Amino acid sequence: MKDYSYSYNILCKHKEESEDYFLFYEKKDGKIIVHLAGGSVKEFTYSKETENIILERMELQVLKYGESLINNYEIDAEELIERASPFVLLSSFGSITMIDASLLFSILNYSVLSGCSLLIGYGGIEYYYSKYLKKDYVKHKLFLDNKELIQSSTYRDLRPLVGVNKKALKEARQNLDEDQASININTIRLFKKKEINSIINYIKDNKKIYSFKRE
């Protein structure tokens, strides 16, 4: 998953320590290696209990931060653009109309114009980053909303995963080999949203067919 904790926003209205935010983990040489939002890692001795604790924590992160905090990127971006735009317009107008202005005024005018333009540029970047985060959040939330259905239907049966990408399928098989649910909140990073939708639709369609045959 991506970092929904708002820890990289320069306004820091909802700042959380990135060292406490779990992005994903890998299992290697008897250890669970957790990758953190700040770029560092934490290592734990592998056990099913430890892995389940980590999975639970990652699920709680999605529910805790979720869409409301991701939306703050968009809100802050709009505020930055709204505040800076009038100054950009005034400075641009001043640059055109006050040709004979003093050197000091010209320097100040261009400084204001440059600074506000940078703010607007940052606002634009933050706005598109919010869209990027939302896309990732929606994918993870889709899994959580259908977690029981997906995990119960793909335990020892990977037919619903037909057509998914090789990396996701490989990790799902590895999870089954370790007697874990084939798909969990950590595995979702490897799936596309349309693949998760396809899995859910496959399961629901086959449940309808099974129910129809029983009748």
Side-chain angles (χ1 to χ4, degrees), residues 26 38 43 46 51-52 93 104 133 148 160 166 204 207:
E26 300 172 296
E43 292 189 0
Y46 177 79
E51 183 171 13
N52 288 333
F93 181 75
L104 178 60
L133 284 181
E148 185 176 346
K166 292 180 180 179
K204 289 182 176 179
K207 283 183 178 292

Side-chain angles (χ1 to χ4, degrees), residues 81-105:
I81 293 171
E82 287 176 1
R83 291 174 183 175
S85 292
F87 292 100
V88 172
L89 291 173
L90 287 173
S91 296
S92 300
F93 181 75
S95 299
I96 296 170
T97 59
M98 302 189 70
I99 298 174
D100 296 328
S102 67
L103 178 61
L104 178 60
F105 177 83

Side-chain angles (χ1 to χ4, degrees), residues 9-207:
N9 187 283
I10 60 170
L11 299 180
C12 299
K13 290 183 179 179
H14 304 279
K15 186 172 182 179
E16 298 284 341
E17 289 295 331
S18 58
E19 289 301 309
D20 292 328
Y21 195 92
F22 291 9
L23 296 178
F24 68 96
Y25 68 83
E26 300 172 296
K27 290 175 281 188
K28 186 177 181 181
D29 299 329
K31 294 185 178 295
I32 301 178
I33 304 169
V34 179
H35 295 256
L36 306 171
S40 58
V41 299
K42 284 184 177 179
E43 292 189 0
F44 303 90
T45 301
Y46 177 79
S47 71
K48 284 187 180 179
E49 181 181 4
T50 300
E51 183 171 13
N52 288 333
I53 290 172
I54 293 171
L55 287 170
E56 182 179 355
R57 176 167 182 159
M58 291 174 68
E59 290 180 2
L60 289 173
Q61 285 177 173
V62 177
L63 299 174
K64 177 181 178 181
Y65 298 107
E67 192 171 13
S68 60
L69 288 186
I70 294 170
N71 281 341
N72 281 311
Y73 279 100
E74 187 173 334
I75 294 170
D76 288 340
E78 291 173 353
E79 289 180 353
L80 280 173
I81 293 171
E82 287 176 1
R83 291 174 183 175
S85 292
F87 292 100
V88 172
L89 291 173
L90 287 173
S91 296
S92 300
F93 181 75
S95 299
I96 296 170
T97 59
M98 302 189 70
I99 298 174
D100 296 328
S102 67
L103 178 61
L104 178 60
F105 177 83
S106 296
I107 293 173
L108 291 173
N109 188 59
Y110 282 113
S111 297
V112 171
L113 179 61
S114 298
C116 291
S117 296
L118 286 174
L119 284 177
I120 289 177
Y122 178 79
I125 292 171
E126 197 168 67
Y127 176 81
Y128 283 105
Y129 186 59
S130 73
K131 299 297 183 185
Y132 172 71
L133 284 181
K134 280 184 182 179
K135 184 177 180 181
D136 188 73
Y137 165 75
V138 167
K139 181 178 72 171
H140 284 78
K141 187 64 165 57
L142 177 64
F143 165 73
L144 289 180
D145 289 343
N146 296 275
K147 175 184 171 182
E148 185 176 346
L149 174 70
I150 293 172
Q151 290 190 336
S152 63
S153 300
T154 59
Y155 189 71
R156 300 299 179 191
D157 183 4
L158 295 181
R159 285 177 295 177
L161 274 65
V162 61
V164 304
N165 69 83
K166 292 180 180 179
K167 286 185 178 180
L169 185 59
K170 180 180 178 181
E171 185 156 315
R173 285 174 173 162
Q174 181 182 344
N175 288 338
L176 285 185
D177 289 341
E178 296 173 355
D179 198 28
Q180 297 277 22
S182 61
I183 302 175
N184 55 45
I185 196 68
N186 184 60
T187 318
I188 290 301
R189 76 190 189 282
L190 301 175
F191 286 85
K192 297 177 181 178
K193 181 175 176 288
K194 65 179 182 180
E195 291 176 330
I196 301 170
N197 274 321
S198 178
I199 292 169
I200 294 169
N201 291 334
Y202 180 98
I203 294 169
K204 289 182 176 179
D205 288 344
N206 277 272
K207 283 183 178 292

